[in-house]
């Protein structure tokens, strides 16, 4: 595509302002002329070939264009009889450079805001700019419109017409027709046809196919005199002071991001909302860079006016705070889970006249590869291990769900729900000895050895990226526990939870119904110290699980143990109860927090399951583990399917409760 800019006019109505240079070099702001603005827009759009017609002060114009140092190849064509002809003849003079090309055509005294130009470029058909908002001018161009198509253009038309401006996008088929007619006019021997508007030739084309592009009340105006200049300069200042808002979640900036940022910055003062770490964690992969780093990254991009935090997926808070004139986004949110967020943005903008601008989303595979590579990095042991601590620091309270196989790991990894303009997903996975044993048909008495349990970790880690919390039961002998710590840490596990009991493990759900013995405080402290001494990194966490409430040893015993275990080096405390009433859990948390505000508290609300994560967070709990729900829901469903087959002597009756296998396969990554 080439651009054709017509700059051969005299500009006599500008008076002294055009006494030393052509009108296109008139300043419209402190740092911009009409022409520098036009050429910059063309360069930013990737148009490199410009044909420019000249007349008076042509050498001044050529030198000026060269001084702008833009990545453009400009071919200057002088109309030697510029003072005796109109721009139709200037186009004729440049004809050899214009045939069989898609063309952006504009007059050199035309000023338009960036979004108007973007719309022209994006048009799928040939188009001319016109406004349904403006009153029809007496002496300027008007376009007669029928069925959205331009029928005639001229100053004399008033019926079925719109105020029009000479900014066109012309596909070569339409342009060739018009250019041929221009050539006919100029070679006809009729001198009057060299002095008319080029649109006179356009009007004689019967089968033209030029759409109207309605720029409404946006800036698109010619400057013919000093009064026009004052009006346009004031409007341009208003345009440039408009607020533009975008939101970014990315921590990997690539060329497509830079491209859309450039487009957005051309619409006004660009405010970028950087999504908070907590919001990103709620619906997407863990951020590689924390919010502070991502904020700094965007602050250093040319064209960005301000960077602010967006705390949720919903734009509502920031839109109501900043009242941007435009919100810019890729068109990828027209479908999928982002659609409700888009609809909310559009509704808020409508309340005060803001506008949503959506640019085509770049589906380049290399950008998808960037994201996939980042996800793969998240799965690496050294990165995965430290993410649990970071997630707790980011969100305050995180959730984990049990996984006992690669497939349940994928469910934990990929399950997301969207509600209230936001998204929720699990932050981590809990590898439970109970569920691991149950999946193997074994009792939960530490019968499944560590080698087998490590294999479960491998299966899950191979297909997921989220942090893993490992149920270490009692930890075994202290001498064995140190090797367990080293192995788990090396594998990339984030936390091991060990309970303060001794002897053959009995599941806590039995409480005092079976004989269970708590370890002494000094002995368990020694185990914690040995484990901490064995680990190699600061990322790995040892959590001490306190069984005092389960074994009815009282609140004071639980608190005494908690403070002792923290003193011994425990990175977190898990408090457990088998009562449905959460009162004793809440009491423990309150009393522990009165003396220790920092050590993370872990709960497993299997019994007291009416408490929400929000309530736990408010009270000071940091990790909520859903310890066995996938196992407990999966086995009844499988048992029911088996019964249906036996009862009906066929599989048809259980089809309604079966997930299609193609949907299961979609959970499984190909690589």
């Amino acid at each position: 595509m080439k651009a054709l800019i017509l700059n051969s006019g005299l500009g006599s109505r500008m008076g002294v302002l055009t006494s030393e240079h052509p009108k296109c070099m008139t300043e419209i702001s402190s740092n911009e002329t009409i022409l520098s603005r036009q050429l910059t827009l063309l360069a930013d759009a990737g148009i490199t070939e410009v044909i420019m017609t000249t007349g008076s002060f042509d050498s001044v114009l050529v030198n000026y264009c060269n001084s702008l140092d833009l990545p453009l190849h400009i071919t200057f064509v002088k109309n030697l009889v510029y003072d005796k002809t109109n721009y139709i003849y200037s186009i004729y003079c440049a004809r050899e450079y214009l045939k069989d090309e898609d063309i952006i055509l504009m007059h050199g005294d035309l000023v338009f805001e960036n979004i108007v130009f973007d719309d022209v470029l994006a048009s799928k058909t040939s188009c001319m700019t016109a406004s349904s908002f403006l009153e029809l001018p007496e002496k300027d161009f008007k376009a007669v419109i029928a069925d959205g198509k331009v029928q005639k253009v001229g100053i004399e038309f008033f019926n079925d017409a719109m105020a029009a401006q000479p900014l066109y996008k012309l596909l070569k088929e339409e342009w060739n027709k018009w250019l041929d007619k221009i050539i006919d006019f100029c070679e006809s021997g009729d001198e009057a046809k060299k002095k008319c508007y080029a649109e006179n030739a356009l009007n004689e084309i019967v089968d033209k196919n030029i759409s109207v592009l309605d720029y409404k009340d946006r800036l698109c105006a010619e400057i013919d005199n000093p009064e026009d200049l004052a009006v346009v300069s004031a409007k341009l200042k208003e345009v440039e002071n408009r607020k533009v808002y975008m939101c970014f979640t990315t921590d990997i900036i690539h060329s497509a991001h830079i491209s859309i940022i450039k487009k957005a910055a051309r619409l006004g003062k660009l405010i970028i909302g950087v999504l908070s770490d907590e919001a990103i964690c709620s619906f997407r992969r863990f951020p590689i860079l924390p919010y502070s780093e991502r904020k700094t990254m965007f602050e250093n991009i040319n064209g960005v006016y301000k960077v602010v935090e967006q705390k949720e997926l919903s734009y509502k808070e920031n839109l109501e705070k900043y009242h941007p004139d435009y919100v810019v986004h890729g068109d990828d949110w027209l479908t999928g889970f982002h659609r409700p967020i888009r609809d909310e943005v559009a509704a808020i903008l409508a309340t005060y006249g803001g506008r949503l601008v959506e640019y085509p989303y770049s589906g380049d595979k290399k950008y998808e590869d960037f994201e996939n590579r980042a996800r793969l990095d998240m799965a690496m042991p050294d990165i995965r291990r430290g993410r649990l601590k970071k997630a707790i620091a980011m969100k305050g309270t995180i959730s984990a769900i049990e996984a006992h196989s690669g497939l349940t790991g994928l469910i934990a990894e990929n399950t997301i729900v969207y509600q209230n303009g936001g998204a929720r997903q699990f932050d981590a996975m809990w590898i439970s000895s109970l569920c691991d044993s149950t999946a193997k048909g074994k009792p939960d008495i530490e019968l499944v050895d560590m080698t087998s349990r490590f294999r479960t970790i491998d299966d899950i880690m191979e297909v997921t990226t989220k942090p893993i919390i490992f149920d270490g039961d009692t930890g075994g002998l202290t001498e064995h526990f140190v090797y367990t710590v080293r192995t788990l840490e090396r594998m990339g596990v984030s936390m091991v939870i060990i309970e303060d009991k001794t002897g053959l493990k009995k599941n806590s759900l039995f409480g005092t119904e079976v004989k269970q013995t708590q370890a002494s405080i000094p002995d368990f402290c020694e185990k914690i110290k040995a484990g901490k001494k064995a680990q190699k990194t600061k990322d790995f966490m040892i959590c001490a699980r306190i069984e005092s409430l389960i074994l009815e040893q009282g609140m004071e015993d639980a608190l005494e143990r908690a403070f002792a275990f923290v003193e011994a080096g425990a990175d977190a405390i898990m408090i457990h109860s088998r009562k449905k009433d959460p009162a004793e859990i809440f009491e423990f948390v309150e009393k522990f927090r009165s003396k220790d505000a920092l050590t993370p508290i872990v709960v497993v609300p299997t019994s007291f399951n009416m408490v929400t994560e929000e309530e736990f967070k408010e009270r000071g709990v940091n990790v909520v583990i859903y310890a066995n729900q996938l196992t407990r829901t999966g086995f009844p469903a499988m048992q029911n399917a088996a019964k249906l087959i036996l009862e009906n002597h066929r599989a048809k009756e259980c089809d309604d409760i079966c997930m299609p296998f193609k949907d299961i396969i979609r959970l499984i990554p190909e690589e």
Side-chain angles (χ1 to χ4, degrees):
M1 178 178 287
K2 290 183 178 179
L4 171 60
I5 305 178
L6 304 174
N7 278 322
S8 49
L10 290 169
S12 55
R13 283 187 285 172
M14 295 292 289
V16 68
L17 293 174
T18 53
S19 61
E20 296 180 353
H21 57 69
K23 183 166 57 170
C24 63
M25 289 174 57
T26 302
E27 290 186 353
I28 52 177
S29 70
S30 60
N31 60 354
E32 202 170 43
T33 65
I34 302 172
L35 183 58
S36 70
R37 180 178 177 82
Q38 290 179 341
L39 292 176
T40 300
L41 286 173
L42 290 169
D44 287 346
I47 296 173
T48 58
E49 290 290 325
V50 178
I51 312 301
M52 189 179 301
T53 66
T54 69
S56 179
F57 302 112
D58 63 311
S59 61
V60 175
L61 179 58
V62 170
N63 290 335
Y64 175 71
C65 289
N66 290 335
S67 73
L68 294 175
D69 196 27
L70 291 167
L72 299 169
H73 179 263
I74 304 175
T75 301
F76 299 94
V77 179
K78 184 173 182 178
N79 178 356
L80 297 175
V81 287
Y82 63 87
D83 54 342
K84 299 181 180 66
T85 59
N86 207 332
Y87 61 84
I88 187 172
Y89 191 72
S90 298
I91 296 174
Y92 172 74
C93 293
R95 64 193 181 281
E96 65 178 284
Y97 303 105
L98 301 172
K99 195 73 173 176
D100 295 323
E101 297 278 357
D102 292 342
I103 294 290
I104 295 292
L105 168 61
M106 66 184 75
H107 285 205
D109 59 359
L110 190 62
V111 178
F112 38 85
E113 60 180 282
N114 301 323
I115 196 167
V116 173
F117 186 60
D118 288 341
D119 286 350
V120 169
L121 285 177
S123 177
K124 302 295 185 184
T125 63
S126 296
C127 65
M128 179 188 191
T129 51
S131 173
S132 61
F133 184 85
L134 301 178
E135 292 184 4
L136 296 179
E138 284 293 326
K139 297 181 179 180
D140 293 323
F141 272 164
K142 294 166 282 290
V144 178
I145 309 298
D147 298 325
K149 301 290 184 182
V150 175
Q151 306 299 309
K152 292 181 181 297
V153 180
I155 62 173
E156 68 273 26
F157 305 115
F158 287 88
N159 294 329
D160 301 318
M162 294 168 63
Q165 292 294 351
L167 172 60
Y168 299 86
K169 177 180 180 179
L170 297 157
L171 303 183
K172 63 182 177 182
E173 182 178 354
E174 297 305 320
W175 173 239
N176 283 342
K177 294 176 189 175
W178 189 3
L179 183 58
D180 288 343
K181 189 61 69 172
I182 289 171
I183 293 170
D184 289 345
F185 266 48
C186 293
E187 293 181 352
S188 67
D190 184 348
E191 290 301 310
K193 288 191 173 182
K194 296 180 183 178
K195 298 178 181 179
C196 69
Y197 299 121
E199 281 73 12
N200 288 30
L202 176 64
N203 293 340
E204 292 195 5
I205 300 170
V206 176
D207 58 343
K208 49 185 170 286
N209 186 31
I210 299 176
S211 301
V212 62
L213 193 149
D214 190 354
Y215 62 87
K216 298 180 180 178
D217 61 341
R218 295 175 291 175
L219 174 60
C220 186
E222 285 186 304
I223 296 176
D224 288 327
N225 52 51
E227 291 75 21
D228 290 344
L229 176 61
V231 171
V232 168
S233 293
K235 179 72 172 176
L236 187 61
K237 187 174 182 179
E238 176 193 324
V239 167
E240 291 176 344
N241 281 318
R242 287 174 182 164
K243 286 182 282 189
V244 184
Y245 188 81
M246 296 182 73
C247 175
F248 278 92
T249 63
T250 188
D251 41 24
I252 302 173
I253 293 182
H254 50 64
S255 57
H257 294 134
I258 297 298
S259 176
I260 197 170
I261 286 172
K262 280 186 175 180
K263 289 178 180 178
R266 284 163 36 193
L267 302 179
K269 292 182 176 178
L270 176 58
I271 301 170
I272 286 183
V274 174
L275 210 62
S276 68
D277 293 331
E278 182 175 353
I280 290 180
C281 284
S282 72
F283 85 103
R284 197 168 178 257
R285 64 166 171 79
F286 191 89
I288 297 172
L289 297 177
Y291 165 77
S292 59
E293 291 292 325
R294 290 181 287 117
K295 181 175 184 286
T296 301
M297 183 169 65
F298 282 103
E299 285 173 335
N300 285 280
I301 296 177
N302 188 37
V304 175
Y305 171 67
K306 183 190 291 186
V307 180
V308 299
E309 184 179 27
Q310 183 170 314
K311 296 178 181 178
E312 299 177 339
L313 275 179
S314 170
Y315 286 50
K316 183 177 180 180
E317 181 180 348
N318 281 2
L319 294 190
E320 291 178 346
K321 181 176 182 179
Y322 297 106
H323 265 230
D325 299 279
Y326 294 108
V327 171
V328 174
H329 201 283
D331 61 5
D332 55 314
W333 68 345
L334 291 169
T335 58
F337 80 89
H338 275 109
R339 181 59 193 251
I341 300 169
R342 179 199 181 273
D343 291 344
E344 181 186 55
V345 169
I348 295 171
L349 290 175
T351 63
Y352 63 86
R355 181 178 171 188
L356 182 58
V357 179
E358 294 162 317
Y359 292 113
Y361 179 74
S362 175
D364 195 319
K365 188 177 183 300
K366 68 183 177 185
Y367 303 137
E368 184 181 340
D369 290 343
F370 289 156
E371 182 63 24
N372 289 339
R373 192 184 315 157
R375 288 186 179 278
L376 289 174
D377 288 344
M378 292 293 99
M380 298 303 291
D382 285 342
I383 296 177
R384 189 196 293 242
R385 184 192 310 114
R387 282 172 50 200
L388 186 68
K389 268 189 177 179
K390 291 177 181 177
I392 294 170
M394 286 178 185
K395 299 182 68 174
T397 300
I398 62 117
S399 65
I401 191 168
E402 67 101 346
H404 55 266
S405 64
L407 189 58
T408 53
L410 286 168
I411 292 172
E413 175 94 358
N414 297 317
T415 301
I416 305 177
V417 296
Y418 305 99
Q419 53 187 202
N420 303 321
R424 290 178 55 80
Q425 63 177 320
F426 295 106
D427 303 288
M429 291 173 284
W430 164 247
I431 299 185
S432 156
S433 65
L434 169 62
C435 296
D436 207 359
S437 301
T438 303
K440 294 174 171 61
K442 303 287 180 66
D444 183 27
I445 55 172
E446 296 182 270
L447 180 61
V448 178
D449 63 25
M450 281 296 174
T451 301
S452 177
R453 299 204 57 211
F454 292 160
R455 181 59 196 166
T456 300
I457 296 174
D458 276 335
D459 289 343
I460 293 172
M461 281 190 160
E462 194 170 349
V463 295
T464 64
T465 66
K466 291 186 176 179
I468 287 176
I469 302 171
F470 183 77
D471 180 1
D473 291 327
T474 65
L477 296 174
T478 298
E479 294 83 357
H480 295 174
F481 180 57
V482 296
Y483 287 99
T484 300
V485 166
R486 289 173 183 169
T487 301
L488 292 173
E489 183 183 29
R490 186 172 63 250
M491 294 176 78
V493 170
S494 298
M495 176 190 283
V496 61
I497 298 180
I498 53 171
E499 56 194 81
D500 59 349
K501 291 193 295 193
T502 62
L504 182 65
K505 180 204 171 177
K506 298 290 185 181
N507 192 281
S508 295
L509 296 175
F510 291 114
T512 58
E513 295 172 19
V514 297
K515 186 177 180 181
Q516 301 191 65
T517 305
Q518 259 184 307
S520 69
I521 292 176
D523 286 349
F524 200 70
C525 285
E526 286 304 312
K527 185 177 290 188
I528 292 170
K529 289 176 182 178
K532 293 303 295 179
K533 186 177 179 181
Q535 71 183 69
K536 304 296 184 184
T537 70
K538 294 180 180 179
D539 295 331
F540 187 75
M541 301 174 73
I542 295 176
C543 175
R545 169 174 162 172
I546 297 168
E547 295 290 283
S548 299
L549 302 182
I550 291 284
L551 300 177
E552 300 178 1
Q553 296 301 304
M555 186 64 64
E556 292 308 312
D557 184 72
L559 289 166
E560 181 186 0
R561 286 172 176 270
F563 295 126
F565 297 161
V566 171
E567 181 69 23
D571 301 286
I573 294 295
M574 175 179 160
I575 185 64
H576 205 18
S577 170
R578 60 194 182 105
K579 293 182 179 179
K580 292 186 177 181
D581 183 347
E584 64 178 4
I585 291 291
F586 291 165
E587 182 185 351
F588 174 90
V589 173
E590 181 181 1
K591 290 181 175 178
F592 183 82
R593 281 285 175 249
S594 68
K595 295 184 178 180
D596 186 333
L598 299 178
T599 303
I601 297 176
V602 182
V603 296
V604 180
T606 305
S607 300
F608 44 99
N609 54 21
M610 74 293 294
V611 186
T612 66
E613 292 166 26
E614 290 76 16
E615 290 177 272
F616 280 129
K617 183 173 185 177
E618 186 177 347
R619 291 176 180 275
V621 172
N622 305 100
V623 182
V624 179
I625 298 176
Y626 300 98
N628 47 45
Q629 281 75 10
L630 295 186
T631 294
R632 288 164 55 205
T633 53
F635 280 89
M638 289 188 284
Q639 190 175 55
N640 186 31
K643 284 182 178 180
L644 285 171
I645 292 171
L646 287 174
E647 289 169 355
N648 295 282
H649 307 262
R650 62 181 185 181
K652 182 180 184 303
E653 283 70 19
C654 76
D655 272 1
D656 289 342
I657 62 170
C658 288
M659 183 179 188
F661 217 87
K662 63 181 181 180
D663 293 341
I664 297 174
I665 291 172
R666 289 194 183 102
L667 286 172
I668 301 171
E670 294 183 3
E671 296 181 359

